[in-house]
Amino acid sequence: MSTTGNGAGTRKLEVIGTAAETTLGATRKKVDASPPVSKLGPVEADLPASRRVYLEEDELRVPVREIQVTGGQPPVRVYDTMGPQGHDVQKGLPRLRKPWVEARLARGDRNFSQMHYARKGEITPEMRFAALRENVSAELVRDEVARGRAIIPANRNHEELEPMIIGRKFLVKINANIGNSAVSSSIQEEVDKLQWAIRWGADTVMDLSTGANIHETREWILRNAPVPIGTVPIYQALEKVKGKAEDLNIDLFLETLIEQAEQGVDYFTIHAGVLLRYVPLTAKRITGIVSRGGSIMARWCLAHHKENFLYTHFEDICEVMKKYDVSFSLGDGLRPGCIADANDEAQFGELRTLGELTQVAWKHDVQVMIEGPGHVPMHKIKENMDQQLALCHEAPFYTLGPLVTDIAPGYDHITSGIGAAMIGAFGTSMLCYVTPKEHLGLPNRDDVKTGVITYKIAAHAADLAKGHPGAQERDDALSRARFAFRWNDQFNLSLDPVTARAFHDETLPAEAAKSAHFCSMCGPSFCSMRITQDVRDYAAAKGIGEDEALAAGLQEKAAEFRGVGSALYVPEDPA
Amino acid sequence: MSTTGNGAGTRKLEVIGTAAETTLGATRKKVDASPPVSKLGPVEADLPASRRVYLEEDELRVPVREIQVTGGQPPVRVYDTMGPQGHDVQKGLPRLRKPWVEARLARGDRNFSQMHYARKGEITPEMRFAALRENVSAELVRDEVARGRAIIPANRNHEELEPMIIGRKFLVKINANIGNSAVSSSIQEEVDKLQWAIRWGADTVMDLSTGANIHETREWILRNAPVPIGTVPIYQALEKVKGKAEDLNIDLFLETLIEQAEQGVDYFTIHAGVLLRYVPLTAKRITGIVSRGGSIMARWCLAHHKENFLYTHFEDICEVMKKYDVSFSLGDGLRPGCIADANDEAQFGELRTLGELTQVAWKHDVQVMIEGPGHVPMHKIKENMDQQLALCHEAPFYTLGPLVTDIAPGYDHITSGIGAAMIGAFGTSMLCYVTPKEHLGLPNRDDVKTGVITYKIAAHAADLAKGHPGAQERDDALSRARFAFRWNDQFNLSLDPVTARAFHDETLPAEAAKSAHFCSMCGPSFCSMRITQDVRDYAAAKGIGEDEALAAGLQEKAAEFRGVGSALYVPEDPA
C-alpha cells in the first residue's frame, strides 16, 4: 500500500532473468554481450537551452544546470541531479570520490561516516561539494552533519556519487523509487530507469528490486548512479528465506547488509522500531499495518513472540553502517495507511523508539534520517513534524507524502503532493514521491515522470516558504519571461519544457506565436499584460507616489490614449 | 493570465455563429432545427454503482448521490451537483423554484435577496434546501446568510437552480469556468460543457462566453443549470463598445447587468475595487495587472483620469442586484500574477476597498463574496485569509488557487491545488479551479475534468481539516474497501472510478483480480494487509492492553503460525 510496496511489487510478476544474464561485479567485468542502447531520448530534447556547467573550487568541480534565457536576461542556474552524460553504462560513471576514499583507507580509518569526520572537525570534500551545490558554507554543512541535523549519504564504495546533503537548513530533496522489470532486464534497461528519474530531478533513488537478479541489478544501478541509492535490505533477506518471515534472523540480515554495503548502497531502510508491544495497537485501525517491511517484522515478532531482532541487535547493525558509511533511514513500519489511522498510538510509539535508536546510532557516529507517513489530514501534519523533531532530536525527516485524503486513487500524486509541500515547509528534509498509480498498480515511465515533477513542485514550494536563498530566482525569471511574452524562455525555465510547449502549441502552434505579444487566453486585440507596460512606462517616467506628478501624468496619459485612437492593444515598434 | 482570462480567450479564436442559429429565449421558444445529441457518455459509465436519491422534507426533495458498496457495508451518500438527468435541453430543466418565486412576486416583494429575507428572520425554501444538502440546521443557514458570512446565489429568474450555500461553516465549494466554443455552438454543445463540469463535482459554473451569440449561449446554460451561474458582465459590456475600454460607461454597464440578471445569472464578478490611486502601485510588479477585468478598469481610469465608475456608481449597481437577488463576487482586479507580487500594497489596498463596498452592499441586503488570488507562496497564504476576514467583515472568500510556485506551467492545477487546499482549510468558502492549461492555452474536455477533480481533492482535504461533520465517512469507506480488497468498491467510492479502474487494470486486467486478496504492489504470496487481519483477529479475541492476555495470545498466535506452515499469506475460506 506504500510506494515502497509499489516498487517491490514487480517481484511476483517478474520472469526471472537467465543465468546467461550479465553479472557486472564490483570488478566491473564486462560480460554483457548485447550492445547497450538507451531508450531515453537525448537530454537536450527534454531540457532545451540547458547545459551542464561547473562551479570550481580547488580540485572540486560541482555541476549545475544553466538555462539560457533570451531578452538580454542572465542565464538561470539550477541544481542538477543528472550526473555526467554519454558514458558507457557497462563501464559505469567516472569515480569522482576515488581519491578521497583512498586517502582515508591509506591513513587506516575505521569509521568512514561523514558524521564521524564532522564531529572531529574535519571538513571532507563531500561536505565542500554539498556546500557548493547548496550555495552555503562548508562549515555550516559540517556543523549540521556533526549535530545529526543533516546527513550526507555517501557509502565509501559508491565512488561515482556526486555528494549531496539532506537536512532542513538545505534545499528540500525528493526520492524516486524504481524496481526491476517484470521481464528480465538488461543493464541499459535498469540504468534507463535511474537516468529517467534523475533527469527530472530525483535527488536520491531507492532500488526496490527483488527476485533472482537482484544483486546484479543493484550493481548496474550503483555503478551508474551520481545520486545516493537507498534500499530496503529486509526484502532481499526475505528472498533468502523463501518468503518465510519467521525464518529471518540477525546473522542472515547482517550478511545481507554487508553484501549491499560492499556494493555501495548509501542508505538502508531498517524497520527496527516495530516493537512487539506496538503490534496489537494496530488492531483497531482501519488499514492496520501497510508498510511491507513493517508487516514482515510484525509477523516475525508474533511468530516468535520475541522482540524485533533489528531492535535487539541494533548496535551490531551500527558496526556495519559505520564501516562503510551507510546512513540509516529508520523505517516507519507502523505508519498510518489511511486518514483515520493518522497520528495514533502505534505510529507515535514507534516514532519514540526511532528517537531512542537515533541516539544509539549517533553514539557510533552513524548518520540517521527518520521515515514518516503516509496518510495524514492537513490539520494533523504539523504535529507529525513537531513530534519528529522533539522525539528524534532533529534528525532529518523523510516522509512519504503524506496523502491528505483517501478518496482519490489515480490522483494520489496530487493528494500526497499537497501534504508533501506542507510538511516540507514545516521542516521535512526529503520527500518520497508518490505516483498516480499509488494503491492501484505499477508505475510506468510516464507515472515516474509525473511523480517526480509533482514532488519537485512540492519541494520547491517548500523552499520558497522557507525562504531558501535564491530559491525564488527561477520563479521570477519565468514570471518575467511570461510578462514579456518570451514563450520559449517560459517553457525552458519550467520543470517540464516539453509539456509546457505542447500545451501552448495545441492552441497556437505557429512558431510566430512564440514571440507574439499575446496569448490564446485573451487574443491579440486585448491583453491585460499590455496595459501593465503602459502603467509601468508612466510610473517609471514620473515616479510613483509623487501625487502631483501622478495627477499630471494621468492627465497626460489620458490624452495620449485618446490620441492613439484608444486601441486597447498598442503594438510595439517593429524594432 | 488568469483562469478568467483563460475561458474568455475563446473570443478571438471563435467563428461567430450564424443568424440561423438557435435563439432560445426566456420564452423557451424552440427554434433549433437539429435534434440535440449529447457527446457525453451516460453518467452510469463515469460513476458506476451510483444513483440519485432524495432527502425529503415537506415539499422539498434534495438530491444526494448514493454509492452502493458491497461486503455488507452501508451505501455512502455524497453531495450531488449533477442535477436532473435525461431532460430535453431545449426545454431546459424543471423549474424547481417557480412556486417559491411566484409567492414572493404575489406578495409584492421589492428586495428578493436571500440576505434580505434572512435578516427579517424568514427561513426560505432555498435556505432549507441548502441546509438539507449540508446536513445542518436551516436556522444556521439563515443566521450565516443574515450576518453576511455565507451567501445563497439564487437569482429569482434562475428557477431551475438547486439552491446551495457558500460560506466557511459549510462544505468548501469549487467553481469551474466554461466559455463558448471556438466554432459556432449548438445548444447541446454548450450544455455538454456545463454537464461535464458538474458531473465531476463543480458547485458553480462561470460562463465566460464572449462574442456574438453570447446572449443565447448564456440562455442555454442557465435554462439547463442546476448550479449557480456566474458571469463577468464587463466582458459583454466591452463587446458593446467594440473593445474600447474608455468608451465604457455606467449606463451601458447597468443595461448589461439588467440583461444578464433578467436571464437569471446568480452572481456577477464586478471589479469595483480597482481605484485610480492603486493603479500606479502595480508598476513595480514583475507581472503588473493580470486580471482581465482589472486591466479593463485600470485602462478606463487612466484614459479618463477619473475614478472607476463601478466604484462611484456602486449603489446604482446594488439596486439592480437586490431586484433579482444577484450576488456580488467582488473581483480582485489587482491580484498578484506571480510569487514575487504576492501580498503587496496594490493587492491589499484593493482588498480594503472591497471591504468598504461589502458594507455598502449589505446596507442594501445584497449578498457578497470576495475574490482572492492568484499566486501566493505558502508562507503568505494565511495572511491573505486573515486580512480578508478582517477587512471584508467575514464575507465569504472565493479564491483562484493560489499557485504556490511559478515554475511549473503545464502543472498549474497542482501548483494551485496545494494553495487551494491550504487556503480552504484556513477558511476560504469557494475555490476557483485551475486547469493544466493555465497560462498556456484553452482547456479541453480532459483539462476541465482534471481541474475539477484536482479541486474536489483540495476542497475535500480542507473539509477534513476543518472537521466538517461526516466529511471523513467517504475516506473511511474507501479505506475499508482497500483493506478488504473490495477493488470495485474502492473504484466506485473514488472521485474518478474510471481512471482508478483503468490504472488497476493496466497491471491486473483479470476480472478475478477485482476480488483477489492481493494487489500488484506486493503480489499474491505476500501481502501486508493480511497480517493486519491476523493481528486484528487476535486482538479482537483477547482484547488490547490486557498484558497477560496479550502475552498468552502472542504465544498462542506464535504456535498457530508455525502450525500452518508459517505461510505469510493465509488464504480465506471460500465461504
Side-chain angles (χ1 to χ4, degrees):
Chain A
M1 305 301 296
S2 71
T3 295
T4 303
N6 225 332
T10 47
R11 166 153 141 271
K12 289 304 155 198
L13 302 172
E14 107 188 292
V15 177
I16 303 307
T18 66
E21 208 166 46
T22 176
T23 312
L24 177 63
T27 58
R28 293 148 187 264
K29 180 159 48 74
K30 180 174 174 180
V31 296
D32 190 345
S34 60
V37 179
S38 174
K39 293 198 182 68
L40 300 184
V43 175
E44 309 74 63
D46 287 328
L47 300 168
S50 282
R51 62 188 184 126
R52 186 174 169 97
V53 299
Y54 295 87
L55 309 173
E56 308 209 347
E57 181 191 276
D58 304 333
E59 84 285 17
L60 298 183
R61 295 181 75 239
V62 176
V64 292
R65 180 162 65 93
E66 187 171 84
I67 306 170
Q68 300 307 313
V69 184
T70 65
Q73 297 291 312
V76 174
R77 290 180 164 187
V78 299
Y79 193 100
D80 182 27
T81 55
M82 277 185 290
Q85 299 295 309
H87 56 280
D88 176 349
V89 296
Q90 295 181 326
K91 291 200 177 67
L93 291 177
R95 301 201 211 177
L96 173 69
R97 297 175 62 217
K98 191 168 191 297
W100 313 341
V101 172
E102 282 175 348
R104 288 163 199 156
L105 290 163
R107 74 186 177 193
D109 290 2
R110 296 293 186 80
N111 185 333
F112 292 85
S113 145
Q114 291 290 319
M115 183 183 223
H116 182 67
Y117 298 121
R119 285 177 164 183
K120 288 193 308 180
E122 180 179 339
I123 292 180
T124 63
E126 287 87 351
M127 295 172 198
R128 290 168 46 223
F129 196 100
L132 280 166
R133 292 183 103 167
E134 300 271 345
N135 192 27
V136 298
S137 76
E139 174 53 25
L140 174 67
V141 167
R142 188 205 59 78
D143 186 55
E144 288 294 297
V145 171
R147 290 166 176 241
R149 291 201 299 212
I151 69 172
I152 297 176
N155 183 314
R156 67 171 162 87
N157 288 344
H158 187 192
E159 296 175 340
E160 303 81 357
L161 177 72
E162 291 178 342
M164 51 80 79
I165 187 162
I166 300 169
R168 76 182 197 281
K169 287 196 177 179
F170 308 99
L171 289 162
V172 176
K173 307 303 189 299
I174 69 168
N175 172 73
N177 296 326
I178 62 176
N180 51 348
S181 305
V183 294
S184 63
S185 307
S186 70
I187 294 183
Q188 190 64 57
E189 204 175 315
E190 294 309 318
V191 175
D192 272 6
K193 290 178 196 165
L194 168 71
Q195 288 280 354
W196 184 244
I198 62 181
R199 174 174 295 185
W200 298 110
D203 294 287
T204 77
V205 168
M206 290 193 78
D207 171 21
L208 302 172
S209 298
T210 51
N213 51 356
I214 181 170
H215 183 100
E216 293 71 17
T217 302
R218 193 164 50 231
E219 188 67 26
W220 304 336
I221 289 170
L222 278 161
R223 300 288 72 80
N224 289 281
V227 300
I229 298 298
T231 61
V232 186
I234 200 76
Y235 294 172
Q236 186 178 12
L238 194 66
E239 300 284 343
K240 295 179 178 180
V241 294
K242 302 184 172 53
K244 288 191 180 178
E246 49 278 69
D247 291 354
L248 290 165
N249 60 67
I250 187 62
D251 297 332
L252 182 97
F253 188 77
L254 289 173
E255 168 199 302
T256 307
L257 287 191
I258 292 164
E259 173 190 339
Q260 297 196 13
E262 274 292 335
Q263 289 185 289
V265 174
D266 300 289
Y267 63 90
F268 290 148
T269 291
I270 294 183
H271 300 89
V274 179
L275 301 191
L276 182 58
R277 65 177 178 276
Y278 299 146
V279 175
L281 299 181
T282 64
K284 279 186 295 189
R285 287 177 160 184
I286 285 183
T287 56
I289 300 175
V290 296
S291 156
R292 193 154 172 267
S295 50
I296 290 168
M297 294 319 300
R299 172 63 60 115
W300 189 94
C301 292
L302 288 183
H304 295 278
H305 188 219
K306 281 194 191 147
E307 196 49 275
N308 183 337
F309 65 81
L310 300 173
Y311 177 80
T312 54
H313 292 80
F314 194 71
E315 301 222 31
D316 301 329
I317 296 170
C318 290
E319 293 299 332
V320 175
M321 306 297 268
K322 68 190 184 193
K323 188 170 160 211
Y324 297 89
D325 192 13
V326 182
S327 299
F328 275 112
S329 184
L330 292 177
D332 56 334
L334 303 181
R335 66 170 171 270
C338 66
I339 293 299
D341 297 344
N343 295 22
D344 70 355
E345 211 184 330
Q347 183 196 336
F348 285 141
E350 180 185 34
L351 187 65
R352 201 170 302 110
T353 299
L354 298 185
E356 295 163 15
L357 294 172
T358 297
Q359 288 183 308
V360 175
W362 285 354
K363 202 177 64 188
H364 295 265
D365 293 344
V366 173
Q367 304 189 93
V368 177
M369 60 182 170
I370 308 292
E371 295 187 6
H375 294 240
V376 183
M378 284 195 286
H379 62 297
K380 291 186 177 179
I381 289 176
K382 190 165 188 307
E383 184 186 7
N384 276 270
M385 191 70 231
D386 295 344
Q387 289 289 316
Q388 189 272 343
L389 287 172
L391 297 174
C392 300
H393 321 288
E394 301 190 76
F397 205 20
Y398 168 31
T399 62
L400 175 64
L403 287 70
V404 296
T405 172
D406 300 328
I407 68 171
Y411 298 80
D412 280 336
H413 57 303
I414 298 176
T415 65
S416 68
I418 293 167
M422 289 177 69
I423 205 162
F426 291 143
T428 288
S429 302
M430 186 157 75
L431 308 168
C432 182
Y433 88 163
V434 171
T435 77
K437 290 283 171 62
E438 183 74 8
H439 300 115
L440 298 169
L442 305 175
N444 61 27
R445 181 180 154 138
D446 290 341
D447 297 319
V448 167
K449 178 182 174 182
T450 300
V452 170
I453 298 271
T454 300
Y455 272 67
K456 287 297 288 182
I457 288 169
H460 183 73
D463 290 333
L464 290 178
K466 289 163 67 178
H468 189 89
Q472 200 181 305
E473 280 171 21
R474 188 176 185 176
D475 297 76
D476 295 351
L478 192 146
S479 297
R480 281 191 201 92
R482 186 171 278 161
F483 178 77
F485 300 102
R486 287 184 272 109
W487 288 99
N488 288 319
D489 288 348
Q490 188 182 161
F491 304 149
N492 296 339
L493 286 164
S494 72
L495 289 178
D496 182 0
V498 177
T499 297
R501 171 181 290 266
F503 282 2
H504 173 273
D505 290 359
E506 273 183 40
T507 314
L508 290 175
E511 193 52 38
K514 300 295 189 308
S515 58
H517 275 202
F518 62 90
C519 55
S520 60
M521 281 74 87
C522 297
S525 82
F526 179 82
C527 173
S528 64
M529 299 300 243
R530 292 299 306 143
I531 180 161
T532 308
Q533 192 54 57
D534 297 324
V535 173
R536 173 176 296 188
D537 297 344
Y538 155 72
K542 298 296 179 182
I544 301 166
E546 299 162 19
D547 293 345
E548 291 165 60
L550 175 57
L554 288 171
Q555 288 290 16
E556 212 174 274
K557 202 78 187 160
E560 177 198 314
F561 284 149
R562 283 187 293 269
V564 298
S566 306
L568 278 172
Y569 175 66
V570 183
E572 276 191 342
D573 300 336
Chain B
M1 302 306 295
S2 72
T3 295
T4 302
N6 226 332
T10 47
R11 166 153 142 270
K12 289 303 154 197
L13 304 172
E14 104 187 296
V15 177
I16 303 307
T18 66
E21 207 167 49
T22 175
T23 312
L24 176 63
T27 57
R28 293 146 188 263
K29 180 159 49 75
K30 180 175 175 181
V31 298
D32 190 344
S34 60
V37 179
S38 174
K39 292 198 183 67
L40 300 184
V43 175
E44 310 74 61
D46 287 327
L47 300 169
S50 281
R51 62 189 184 124
R52 186 174 169 95
V53 299
Y54 295 87
L55 309 172
E56 308 210 346
E57 181 190 275
D58 304 332
E59 84 286 16
L60 297 184
R61 297 181 74 240
V62 176
V64 292
R65 180 161 67 93
E66 187 171 84
I67 306 170
Q68 301 305 315
V69 185
T70 65
Q73 297 292 312
V76 174
R77 290 181 165 187
V78 300
Y79 193 100
D80 182 28
T81 56
M82 276 186 290
Q85 300 295 309
H87 56 281
D88 176 350
V89 297
Q90 295 183 325
K91 291 201 177 67
L93 292 175
R95 302 200 212 179
L96 172 69
R97 296 175 62 216
K98 192 170 192 294
W100 313 341
V101 172
E102 281 173 348
R104 289 165 198 154
L105 289 164
R107 73 186 178 192
D109 290 1
R110 296 292 187 79
N111 185 334
F112 292 85
S113 143
Q114 291 290 319
M115 183 182 221
H116 182 67
Y117 297 120
R119 286 177 163 182
K120 288 194 307 179
E122 179 178 339
I123 293 180
T124 63
E126 287 85 352
M127 295 173 198
R128 289 169 47 223
F129 195 100
L132 281 166
R133 293 184 102 167
E134 301 271 345
N135 192 29
V136 298
S137 76
E139 174 53 25
L140 174 66
V141 167
R142 187 205 60 75
D143 187 55
E144 289 294 298
V145 171
R147 288 165 176 243
R149 291 201 298 214
I151 68 171
I152 297 176
N155 183 314
R156 67 171 161 88
N157 287 345
H158 187 192
E159 296 175 340
E160 303 80 357
L161 177 72
E162 292 178 341
M164 51 80 79
I165 188 163
I166 300 169
R168 75 181 198 283
K169 288 197 177 178
F170 308 99
L171 288 162
V172 176
K173 306 304 190 298
I174 69 168
N175 172 74
N177 296 325
I178 62 175
N180 51 348
S181 306
V183 295
S184 64
S185 309
S186 70
I187 293 182
Q188 191 63 59
E189 206 175 312
E190 293 308 318
V191 175
D192 272 6
K193 290 179 195 166
L194 168 70
Q195 289 281 354
W196 185 243
I198 62 181
R199 175 174 294 186
W200 297 109
D203 294 286
T204 77
V205 168
M206 291 193 77
D207 171 22
L208 303 171
S209 299
T210 50
N213 52 356
I214 181 172
H215 182 99
E216 293 70 18
T217 302
R218 194 164 48 231
E219 188 67 25
W220 305 335
I221 290 171
L222 277 161
R223 301 288 71 81
N224 288 281
V227 300
I229 299 298
T231 61
V232 187
I234 200 76
Y235 295 170
Q236 186 178 12
L238 194 67
E239 300 284 340
K240 294 180 178 179
V241 293
K242 302 184 175 53
K244 288 189 179 179
E246 49 278 71
D247 291 355
L248 290 166
N249 61 66
I250 187 62
D251 297 331
L252 181 98
F253 188 77
L254 289 173
E255 168 199 303
T256 307
L257 287 191
I258 291 164
E259 174 189 339
Q260 298 196 11
E262 273 294 333
Q263 289 185 288
V265 174
D266 301 288
Y267 63 90
F268 289 148
T269 291
I270 294 183
H271 300 89
V274 179
L275 301 191
L276 182 59
R277 65 178 180 275
Y278 298 146
V279 174
L281 299 180
T282 65
K284 278 185 295 189
R285 287 176 159 185
I286 285 183
T287 56
I289 300 176
V290 297
S291 155
R292 192 153 174 267
S295 50
I296 291 168
M297 293 319 299
R299 173 62 60 113
W300 189 93
C301 292
L302 288 182
H304 295 278
H305 187 222
K306 281 196 192 145
E307 195 49 274
N308 182 339
F309 65 81
L310 300 174
Y311 178 81
T312 55
H313 292 81
F314 193 71
E315 301 222 31
D316 301 329
I317 295 169
C318 291
E319 291 301 332
V320 175
M321 306 296 267
K322 67 189 184 193
K323 188 170 161 211
Y324 297 90
D325 192 13
V326 181
S327 300
F328 276 111
S329 184
L330 293 176
D332 56 335
L334 303 181
R335 67 171 171 269
C338 66
I339 293 299
D341 296 344
N343 295 22
D344 71 354
E345 210 184 331
Q347 183 196 333
F348 285 142
E350 179 185 36
L351 188 63
R352 203 169 300 111
T353 299
L354 298 185
E356 295 163 16
L357 294 172
T358 298
Q359 289 183 306
V360 175
W362 286 353
K363 202 177 63 188
H364 294 267
D365 293 344
V366 173
Q367 304 188 94
V368 178
M369 61 182 169
I370 308 293
E371 295 186 8
H375 294 241
V376 183
M378 284 195 287
H379 63 298
K380 292 186 177 179
I381 289 177
K382 188 163 189 306
E383 184 185 8
N384 275 270
M385 191 71 232
D386 295 343
Q387 289 289 316
Q388 189 273 342
L389 288 172
L391 297 174
C392 299
H393 322 287
E394 301 190 76
F397 204 20
Y398 168 30
T399 63
L400 174 64
L403 287 70
V404 296
T405 173
D406 300 328
I407 69 170
Y411 298 80
D412 280 336
H413 58 303
I414 297 176
T415 65
S416 68
I418 292 167
M422 288 178 69
I423 205 162
F426 291 143
T428 287
S429 303
M430 186 156 76
L431 307 169
C432 183
Y433 88 162
V434 170
T435 78
K437 290 283 172 62
E438 183 74 7
H439 298 116
L440 297 170
L442 305 176
N444 60 27
R445 181 180 154 139
D446 290 341
D447 297 319
V448 167
K449 178 182 173 182
T450 301
V452 170
I453 298 272
T454 301
Y455 272 66
K456 286 298 288 184
I457 288 169
H460 182 74
D463 290 334
L464 291 177
K466 289 163 66 177
H468 189 90
Q472 200 181 304
E473 281 171 21
R474 189 176 185 176
D475 296 76
D476 294 352
L478 191 145
S479 298
R480 282 192 199 90
R482 186 171 277 162
F483 177 76
F485 301 100
R486 287 184 272 109
W487 288 99
N488 287 321
D489 288 347
Q490 187 181 160
F491 304 148
N492 296 339
L493 286 163
S494 71
L495 288 177
D496 183 0
V498 176
T499 297
R501 171 181 290 266
F503 282 3
H504 173 273
D505 290 359
E506 274 183 38
T507 315
L508 291 176
E511 193 52 39
K514 301 295 190 308
S515 58
H517 276 202
F518 64 89
C519 55
S520 59
M521 281 76 86
C522 297
S525 82
F526 179 82
C527 173
S528 64
M529 299 302 243
R530 294 297 309 144
I531 179 161
T532 308
Q533 190 55 56
D534 297 323
V535 174
R536 173 177 295 185
D537 296 345
Y538 155 73
K542 299 297 178 181
I544 301 167
E546 299 162 21
D547 293 344
E548 292 165 58
L550 175 57
L554 286 171
Q555 289 288 18
E556 209 175 278
K557 200 77 186 162
E560 176 196 319
F561 283 149
R562 283 188 291 270
V564 297
S566 306
L568 279 171
Y569 176 66
V570 184
E572 275 191 345
D573 301 337

